[in-house]
Amino acid sequence: MNEGTKTPFLGCERVSVQFFDRETPVLKEMSVQIEEKESVLLLGPSGSGKSTLAQVLSGIIPRSIEAWMKGNVYRPERVGVMFQDPDAQFCMLTVEDEIAFSLENRRVPPAQMRGEIQRLMREVRLDLPLNKQIAELSGGLKQRLALACLLALEPDVLFFDEPTAQLDPENTRLVLQDIAQLRGEKTLVVIEHKLESVMEWIDRVLLFGPDGSLQGTGKPEDVLRDHAQAIRDYGIWTPRMWPVTWEELLRDPQHELAQRLQSTPPAPNPVDKTEPLLEVRELRMSYRGGANVWSDVNVSVQPGEWVAVMGPNGAGKSTFLKAVGGLLPVSGGQVLLKGKELGKYKPEALYDRVGFVFQNPEHQFIADTVYEEVAFGGKLARWPQEQVERETTQLLADFHLEALASKNPFTLSQGQKRRLSVAGMLLKNQELLLLDEPTFGQDAATTRELVERIRERNENGTTVMMATHDVELVAETASRVLVFAEHGLLFDGTPQELFTQPDLLARAALIEPLAYEYRRRQAAQEEGSVYA
């Protein structure tokens, strides 16, 4: 670390930050120093101030986000920030124009731009036509384009705020690989829940407590070891395996992790197979230009099923949920709910039966306060005031939102916004609940609680259809999986059937859950196979 009177390369001294609608600071007397070309991971539970610190260090607070702040901040002149949602930072229509916009900010001569753009695209493995429309890119390609745009600015520091939150496993691997290659060249400040491919190249971890205080700092292995109990108490995600190796696990079946991986997943709830709740017949969805997103999709969902919808970025998972939820007109085919076409339902009757949680929580917020957002459905249904208050208060407690009841939903952290979006949809006991990436951006404790709330509804008869990239979540909860890839429905079956087909997983940009990989490796070892 920098010593004496030398100004640190990047850091802050006794910084406190409080947003104007909050009674308490998000950060309290925070002092941090980051060395040039150091790679630092900000680790902590949802709402602990990780993003706020990154915004302070990068200058977004107070330059673009208004907040009360005191203390000193040091940073180099050129910084770049990559957010969860790459669309939030794009301002042009095509790949070439977006990267050129960054080069223009550096006053690169027009004659040199084409060569620079092509070099940057090669650097992040973006093999696309220069005139490709950004709107047509998958989430993974958008994030790699965002990285190319940041590198075009030649920043001294790069901030990454959960850059893989919305990506499938394969694109997660590629994006983290691109970021890892910058280690030693740039100063990297990373916020990330998917730690398996991060810990190997991180120099230092800053551990946050729920109150916005710094609880510890050090090498990744030291922080995970020395603060293990606090990390469990705070509900922070930890790596699936690291620093444990497959060799260790296979050599010692009594290892704590090996014992956990050998446990049998819970059996799915029994379902009523008499009459389908939802039927999809020859469904087709096309882009405006005529190309199919997917076609010839036939699905029948029974009451009480928990159906996971999976596949690579851009395969049409969210589109499928919106189609069966009546939010998006289809190009062909039929969707029937309880034997009746969606188009024949009045909107209020349809949404008494179907609830939808959007991938972007902000797309469903309509009230001025957190309390009113949760209570809205009950008031719209003209429930008695006592019932609205009772049910709303219980949901706020279940999702740890009581202290935020009077706050505007748009001022919450990303994790808090996600919890609010799910809580608002759980107020009414709809027969079908459609969830688009319900757990992304959540810490481990909140994810467990959120899943438990959904599981309770499922056990009481609610049919759940959930789009997700989280293979561990699917293995734990789903009774059935639909996999969209290659412009169609590639797979329809149980998680056990899906996760034992490596070729199919590769085609869908998915990976095995850890327990499945352990059992496969264990069986291969017993047969005398050698793993590279």
Side-chain angles (χ1 to χ4, degrees):
M1 303 303 298
N2 294 319
E3 301 290 340
T5 59
K6 182 180 178 182
T7 301
F9 176 74
L10 174 68
C12 60
E13 291 180 353
R14 302 177 67 85
V15 161
S16 295
V17 175
Q18 184 171 336
F19 295 107
F20 295 122
D21 68 332
R22 304 292 174 87
E23 286 77 24
T24 58
V26 180
L27 299 178
K28 302 173 185 176
E29 296 288 314
M30 178 75 70
S31 294
V32 169
Q33 291 188 3
I34 297 174
E35 292 186 346
E36 187 174 5
K37 298 185 179 178
E38 187 179 20
S39 300
V40 175
L41 173 70
L42 308 186
L43 187 64
S46 175
S48 61
K50 305 183 298 295
S51 294
T52 301
L53 177 61
Q55 289 163 355
V56 167
L57 294 178
S58 64
I60 293 176
I61 293 176
R63 187 177 61 233
S64 300
I65 298 177
E66 293 185 355
W68 173 84
M69 188 182 92
K70 72 172 184 177
N72 298 317
V73 179
Y74 309 94
R75 76 177 68 87
E77 181 179 348
R78 291 183 296 189
V79 302
V81 183
M82 181 187 285
F83 301 102
Q84 289 182 11
D85 181 7
D87 288 321
Q89 56 196 96
F90 292 146
C91 56
M92 309 301 284
L93 297 178
T94 68
V95 168
E96 180 177 30
D97 288 346
E98 190 64 42
I99 301 175
F101 182 77
S102 294
L103 295 174
E104 286 172 355
N105 281 301
R106 276 183 40 225
R107 300 182 180 180
V108 173
Q112 298 177 18
M113 281 192 180
R114 178 61 62 86
E116 274 291 285
I117 291 169
Q118 292 172 333
R119 180 187 66 79
L120 289 161
M121 290 176 68
R122 285 194 301 271
E123 194 167 334
V124 298
R125 292 172 292 182
L126 205 59
D127 186 14
L128 295 170
L130 294 176
N131 63 353
K132 182 73 173 178
Q133 294 286 313
I134 295 174
E136 296 176 4
L137 301 183
S138 69
L141 292 176
K142 284 180 178 178
Q143 280 296 44
R144 282 146 70 189
L145 172 59
L147 182 56
C149 294
L150 292 181
L151 295 178
L153 295 171
E154 294 190 344
D156 299 302
V157 182
L158 282 167
F159 294 86
F160 299 95
D161 192 351
E162 295 193 54
T164 70
Q166 301 184 38
L167 301 186
D168 61 55
E170 176 61 16
N171 276 300
T172 292
R173 183 184 67 81
L174 292 172
V175 168
L176 290 178
Q177 203 173 78
D178 287 337
I179 296 172
Q181 290 178 351
L182 300 171
R183 182 192 185 190
E185 298 179 15
K186 306 282 185 182
T187 303
L188 307 179
V189 180
V190 182
I191 303 170
E192 179 60 67
H193 283 307
K194 303 171 185 176
L195 301 180
E196 198 68 28
S197 301
V198 172
M199 288 302 198
E200 293 90 345
W201 49 269
I202 285 294
D203 299 317
R204 188 158 56 101
V205 172
L206 302 183
L207 177 64
F208 287 69
D211 62 350
S213 61
L214 193 60
Q215 297 293 303
T217 179
K219 295 180 179 179
E221 57 269 31
D222 294 338
V223 170
L224 290 185
R225 181 189 63 247
D226 298 342
H227 299 274
Q229 187 58 52
I231 287 171
R232 283 192 292 270
D233 293 343
Y234 298 159
I236 297 171
W237 289 114
T238 53
R240 296 193 311 161
M241 284 185 60
W242 186 92
V244 181
T245 65
W246 281 116
E247 289 73 17
E248 289 177 66
L249 287 185
L250 296 172
R251 188 169 56 245
D252 181 11
Q254 302 307 311
H255 190 286
E256 178 186 356
L257 178 57
Q259 292 286 303
R260 195 161 71 243
L261 295 179
Q262 292 177 59
S263 61
T264 305
N269 296 323
V271 298
D272 179 4
K273 295 189 177 182
T274 54
E275 180 183 350
L277 174 68
L278 180 72
E279 290 182 89
V280 173
R281 300 175 180 173
E282 299 295 325
L283 208 62
R284 176 171 55 85
M285 182 67 71
S286 302
Y287 294 111
R288 289 183 178 179
N292 282 334
V293 182
W294 34 253
S295 59
D296 300 323
V297 175
N298 293 278
V299 173
S300 179
V301 178
Q302 303 296 323
E305 285 196 271
W306 188 318
V307 183
V309 182
M310 307 193 79
N313 288 107
K317 302 181 298 297
S318 298
T319 300
F320 179 73
L321 288 189
K322 291 175 183 176
V324 301
L327 299 177
L328 201 61
V330 297
S331 305
Q334 291 180 302
V335 180
L336 293 86
L337 182 67
K338 304 190 77 170
K340 181 178 176 179
E341 285 197 59
L342 290 189
K344 295 182 179 179
Y345 281 94
K346 292 183 178 180
E348 59 271 22
L350 179 61
Y351 299 118
D352 276 342
R353 292 170 171 81
V354 181
F356 197 103
V357 175
F358 289 85
Q359 186 178 85
N360 185 334
E362 295 181 354
H363 289 174
Q364 68 190 73
F365 293 157
I366 54 176
D368 292 330
T369 70
V370 168
Y371 180 93
E372 292 297 327
E373 187 66 39
V374 177
F376 179 81
K379 291 183 176 181
L380 191 65
R382 298 182 179 178
W383 287 2
Q385 181 64 23
E386 181 183 343
Q387 181 185 0
V388 172
E389 291 180 358
R390 183 179 66 252
E391 301 284 351
T392 300
T393 301
Q394 184 60 55
L395 280 166
L396 291 174
D398 288 344
F399 287 89
H400 304 291
L401 295 168
E402 312 103 302
L404 302 170
S406 63
K407 308 309 177 189
N408 188 295
F410 291 93
T411 67
L412 305 184
S413 72
Q414 285 301 315
Q416 291 163 345
K417 287 175 182 176
R418 167 53 72 205
R419 299 205 301 273
L420 175 59
S421 69
V422 176
M425 265 315 136
L426 291 182
L427 183 71
K428 298 173 72 175
N429 283 313
Q430 290 107 324
E431 296 171 85
L432 176 62
L433 189 59
L434 305 172
L435 303 143
D436 198 353
E437 294 286 354
T439 62
F440 91 79
Q442 298 299 308
D443 58 47
T446 305
T447 294
R448 285 193 296 269
E449 292 171 1
L450 190 152
V451 169
E452 190 56 36
R453 299 286 86 77
I454 299 171
R455 196 195 303 276
E456 288 171 359
R457 297 302 172 94
N458 181 241
E459 290 174 348
N460 288 326
T462 298
T463 303
V464 175
M465 186 171 284
M466 167 186 73
T468 182
H469 293 304
D470 190 337
V471 295
E472 305 292 346
L473 176 63
V474 170
E476 176 191 346
T477 62
S479 57
R480 180 177 171 192
V481 188
L482 307 178
V483 177
F484 284 84
E486 302 171 2
H487 304 292
L489 183 60
L490 188 64
F491 174 85
D492 180 357
T494 67
Q496 292 79 8
E497 292 166 340
L498 171 65
F499 294 134
T500 51
Q501 299 186 55
D503 292 343
L504 181 61
L505 292 173
R507 289 169 65 187
L510 298 173
I511 59 175
E512 297 166 284
L514 207 58
Y516 283 83
E517 186 172 358
Y518 175 76
R519 290 193 285 269
R520 175 175 60 80
R521 287 175 177 266
Q522 193 177 46
Q525 184 188 55
E526 291 171 359
E527 294 173 4
S529 296
V530 177
Y531 282 85

